[in-house]
């Protein structure tokens, strides 16, 4: 018990104190970031056109986990993939994405989960480019009337093919039957010979 009080407990207490201090500092950093959001938004709108191709290039090169967080930011996902998010923020900072430098520094110092508010703010800004890009490549929805008419045409074509096949089959059957029946003309010469013989004989008394 004495060892617990003298050695283990102080270490645990120190960890909790350090963690509390870290949380407090992270909260202060988040508060400071919130105060600069208006300025970041203004800079973002000014650089939007210039940033779009660079942001999309970074986004396409990033992991599927980060892409999911960009589209659907969640605390659990941020904690689980904090290292990947940190790397993504660093890439954004390289192209001077508004607000990304301050968020990257805070995330490096306190951890991404402690500054989740600013991190999600940056991811939300990134998502505006991604949503626009995805909408641009989506095929236009098919009109219901066109689909119906196309299906009807297919049915008509199929029926016509079936009718043609039936007609061809009937013609083939008729031809085979005609070939199978022998011509009646073959019996005519024998009948004529008998008649000639009968007429040539003299009448009996």
């Amino acid at each position: 018990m004495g060892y617990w009080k003298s050695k283990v407990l102080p270490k645990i207490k120190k960890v909790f104190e350090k963690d509390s201090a870290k949380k407090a500092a992270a909260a202060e950093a988040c508060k400071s970031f919130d105060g600069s959001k208006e300025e970041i938004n203004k800079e973002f709108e000014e650089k939007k056109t210039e940033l779009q191709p660079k942001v999309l290039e970074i986004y396409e090169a990033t992991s599927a986990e980060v892409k999911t967080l960009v589209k659907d930011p969640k605390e659990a996902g941020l904690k689980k993939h904090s290292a990947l998010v940190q790397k993504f923020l660093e890439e954004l900072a390289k192209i001077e994405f508004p607000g990304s430098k301050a968020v990257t520094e805070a995330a490096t110092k306190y951890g991404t989960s402690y500054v989740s508010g600013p991190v999600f703010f940056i991811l939300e800004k990134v998502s505006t480019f991604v949503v626009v890009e995805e909408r641009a490549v989506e095929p236009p929805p098919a009109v219901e009337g066109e689909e119906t008419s196309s299906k009807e045409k297919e049915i008509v074509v199929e029926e016509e093919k079936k009718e043609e096949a039936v007609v061809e089959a009937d013609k083939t059957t008729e031809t085979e039957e005609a070939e199978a029946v022998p011509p009646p003309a073959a019996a005519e010469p024998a009948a004529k010979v008998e008649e000639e013989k009968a007429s040539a004989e003299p009448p009996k008394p």
Side-chain angles (χ1 to χ4, degrees):
M1 190 70 179
Y3 177 79
W4 173 264
K5 282 185 178 179
S6 62
K7 299 288 183 182
V8 179
L9 197 59
K11 285 182 180 179
I12 294 172
K13 193 176 179 183
K14 193 176 179 181
V15 170
F16 276 106
E17 284 174 356
K18 189 179 178 182
D19 192 51
S20 297
K22 192 176 181 181
K23 279 182 180 180
E28 195 61 36
C30 290
K31 190 177 178 182
S32 174
F33 182 83
D34 288 343
S36 62
K37 277 184 179 179
E38 191 176 336
E39 188 181 334
I40 292 170
N41 282 329
K42 188 178 178 182
E43 187 184 353
F44 178 78
E45 289 301 324
E46 287 173 357
K47 292 184 175 181
K48 203 168 184 178
T49 307
E50 177 192 338
L51 286 168
Q52 185 171 6
K54 296 177 183 178
V55 172
L56 288 173
E57 186 178 345
I58 293 170
Y59 175 80
E60 289 301 326
T62 196
S63 63
E65 291 82 1
V66 174
K67 287 178 181 178
T68 302
L69 276 170
V70 169
K71 295 174 187 176
D72 186 21
K74 288 180 179 177
E75 289 277 354
L78 182 60
K79 286 180 182 178
K80 190 176 180 180
H81 308 295
S82 57
L84 295 172
V85 173
Q86 179 73 37
K87 188 179 177 183
F88 184 66
L89 291 171
E90 287 170 3
E91 292 298 320
L92 291 175
K94 286 178 186 177
I95 63 168
E96 298 181 350
F97 191 92
S100 62
K101 189 177 180 181
V103 176
T104 303
E105 288 174 357
T108 303
K109 194 172 183 180
Y110 309 114
T112 53
S113 57
Y114 284 118
V115 288
S116 58
V119 171
F120 286 145
F121 178 83
I122 297 298
L123 295 182
E124 185 184 341
K125 291 295 179 188
V126 172
S127 72
T128 59
F129 294 118
V130 177
V131 170
V132 169
E133 183 68 13
E134 287 183 350
R135 281 179 183 170
V137 297
E138 276 181 7
V143 181
E144 191 177 338
E146 290 180 1
E147 285 184 359
T148 306
S149 111
S150 172
K151 285 179 181 177
E152 287 176 353
K153 284 179 182 177
E154 287 177 8
I155 291 167
V156 170
V157 169
E158 286 296 325
E159 287 179 353
E160 286 178 356
K161 285 181 180 178
K162 285 178 183 177
E163 287 176 3
E164 287 175 4
V166 170
V167 170
E168 289 295 327
D170 289 346
K171 285 182 179 177
T172 306
T173 305
E174 288 175 3
T175 306
E176 289 175 353
E177 287 177 354
E179 289 174 355
V181 176
E188 285 180 4
K192 284 182 180 179
V193 170
E194 288 295 329
E195 286 178 3
E196 287 174 0
K197 282 182 179 181
S199 59
E201 288 179 4
K204 292 179 181 181

